[in-house]
Amino acid sequence: MLFKLLLQICAQKTQHIKYFISKKYFHINNEEFILKNISLSRLKYFLKQQCSSVVEGHTCFIIDCPLCNTIKTKSKIYINKNTGFFICDKCKSMGSWNILEKILFLKKSNENLKELDILKIKCNLKENFIERWKRVINDCQSIRDLSAEEYNIFLNNFSFPHVLQKDMSQLNCFYNKTINVIYFPLIGLNTSIVGYKLFSTKPQKEETVPASEVSGCIEYRRYHSKNDGTAIIVSTIDDLLAMMLKQSANIIICLPYNLRSLPQQLLPYMESFKKLILWFGNDEVSWYTARHFAKKLNEKRCYLIRPTDLQPRPKLAAEMNYDFNNILKNAQPLWHKSIITFQDLKEEILIDLQNNDKVQGVKWKRYTTLNRILKGHRRGEFTVLTGPTGSGKTTFMSEYSLDLAMQGVNTLWGSFEIRNVRLIRTMLQQMIGVPLNENLENFDTYANAFEKLPIYFMTFHGEQNIKIVMDAVEHATYVHDIAHVVIDNIQFMMGMTNDSKYVDRFWKQDNIIAKFRNFATVYNCHVTMIIHPRKEHKAEELTTSSIFGSAKASQEADNVLIIQDNRLTSIRGKKYLQVAKNRYSGDLGIMVLDFDKSSLSYAKLKTKEKKNLKLKDE
């Protein structure tokens, strides 16, 4: 009886896992990136056929809204050129391209009005944040209503610079004295409130609501200033306040998620600006993020503050009393992608030398040996992992990528061999370090903690066409700012059947590798690909020449990792990871892999650490 009850609980939790996965992580589907198969010229032609007027903006096509536009109300829909995602500036209807395509067609043909009404409802499922904002600030006081003494106490409580109260009031922020929290509204199209950011000191906390895909930002407009079409973009509230203190810009925009991501929903709000100056930090991550965001915002109108010691982020520049006007005058346009000179790279080389540890990449916390050999996980590189069948390649890569995701590396998984439910269950157990089936009462706590990780999964399983996969990968990288793509494994994109001509299979694999190698470089995204070995070696260890296919995989790879398993050929044999190629530093070496079945982990966690492991639902 007890055994049957346990089985029922496990079955319920399995369903819970499936629901949890489908609800949160399966962002990639054919409907979302259907636009990838349509050229911009064809898209523009279709819109002109269906709409009376089409305006091509920096990142969007702009048309009259077919959902709410009337003679009295003139509303516009913004359509992302890359993904087809649309949003209306008045009724806030939004959705994917395939929905808008159907709406435009039905609207013009004046047929199937019932289906049109259903599509309209589907576009208006987003929460109305105006009412939620009113509830949030119900017990708060507007900054503009504070007395001079109260305002100074407020600035000191949050360690904010002494910005004039009238300028701070421009942000329309509210202060809750009881819990010492300040709320900044996120402003979207037509000055509507679409979310908020909160700060607290005890405990120290910064949170953005909604947690992703918000269509607004924090904006400051200086009193009685002319709108010259230029905006300064910063990543933190501290930098925004530093800019306000110096009064060096008419319009300043603070991103909703710092440097973590730039939602495509926010791009329509940026359409009105002719020039955007991106001023982030002077570390390697900020520099590469600025370049990535500039491509998303349309690099033709973007200027970058080159990160140097004399041009640090605004907060530090204000503390050092640097001339902000002079720094902004030195903003450089984004260079042409095919033409570059030493002068363009000189500052970047200097930054690399000054920030050598940061340039080496994100460090692993579970695999310190890899930090010593590979130095870190870097954007723009291509890594190949191989090993014998059953050696634990997927299990190792699961934890390898989980470690990075827990440190904020946005990750996209393409698991063609193992279903996502099983993969995520493995990751979840590796994260908590204890068996899931023995801790079912804590499942919701574990799931909530895992849900906050920036991990996304492709829904493909089994054999897939490379073009469809690349469309999904490029779409996810654009929308979710992916920094690490994992492909498990390449054989499922070249066909599982035995071709009579092995040359064809080699050519297919070389073509796939070339596409991912180019993707890693162009999108500045790290790609890790699992490839089976050419054949099983029982007595001999695998080498780079053991990778299935031609030599292209090992030649194109920046890093080659091989799982060697000598346990079946030697009494004292070990399983270990061999770094057989390391283009960054040239260092090679091995890392012993001791598997802990209870946590499904290869990391060496101390017993005390396992026992004291607690997940906090922040």
Side-chain angles (χ1 to χ4, degrees), residues 14 37 143 246 319 352-353 394 411 478 487 538 575 587 607:
T14 300
N37 298 322
I143 292 299
K246 291 292 185 177
E319 291 174 353
D352 285 359
L353 294 172
T394 302
T411 303
Y478 176 85
I487 301 296
K538 294 183 180 179
K575 181 159 74 170
D587 294 339
T607 305

Side-chain angles (χ1 to χ4, degrees), residues 382 384-387 393 487-491 509 513 529-533 547-549 553:
F382 180 59
V384 169
L385 172 67
T386 191
K393 296 186 292 294
I487 301 296
D488 181 19
N489 61 62
I490 190 175
Q491 273 78 3
Q509 178 166 317
I513 289 171
M529 182 175 288
I530 297 177
I531 305 178
H532 288 316
I547 300 173
F548 182 86

Side-chain angles (χ1 to χ4, degrees), residues 70-82:
T70 63
I71 297 176
K72 295 182 179 180
T73 305
K74 293 296 181 182
S75 56
K76 298 292 183 181
I77 268 187
Y78 294 79
I79 308 165
N80 190 290
K81 293 181 182 179
N82 283 276

Side-chain angles (χ1 to χ4, degrees), residues 424-441:
I424 295 178
R425 178 176 174 174
T426 299
M427 282 188 169
L428 192 56
Q429 191 156 329
Q430 289 172 334
M431 183 187 75
I432 64 175
V434 294
L436 278 174
N437 58 347
E438 297 176 9
N439 296 270
L440 292 176
E441 68 279 2

Side-chain angles (χ1 to χ4, degrees), residues 291 295 299 334-340 522:
R291 290 165 60 186
K295 290 180 180 179
E299 55 193 2
L334 199 68
W335 57 79
H336 191 283
K337 61 182 179 180
S338 300
I339 303 173
I340 203 165
V522 172

Side-chain angles (χ1 to χ4, degrees), residues 156-158 175-182 198-206:
N156 292 329
N157 284 344
F158 288 91
Y175 179 42
N176 189 319
K177 297 180 182 178
T178 306
I179 57 177
N180 205 32
V181 173
I182 181 171
L198 67 89
F199 281 86
S200 65
T201 55
K202 294 180 181 179
Q204 190 168 358
K205 183 179 180 181
E206 175 183 339

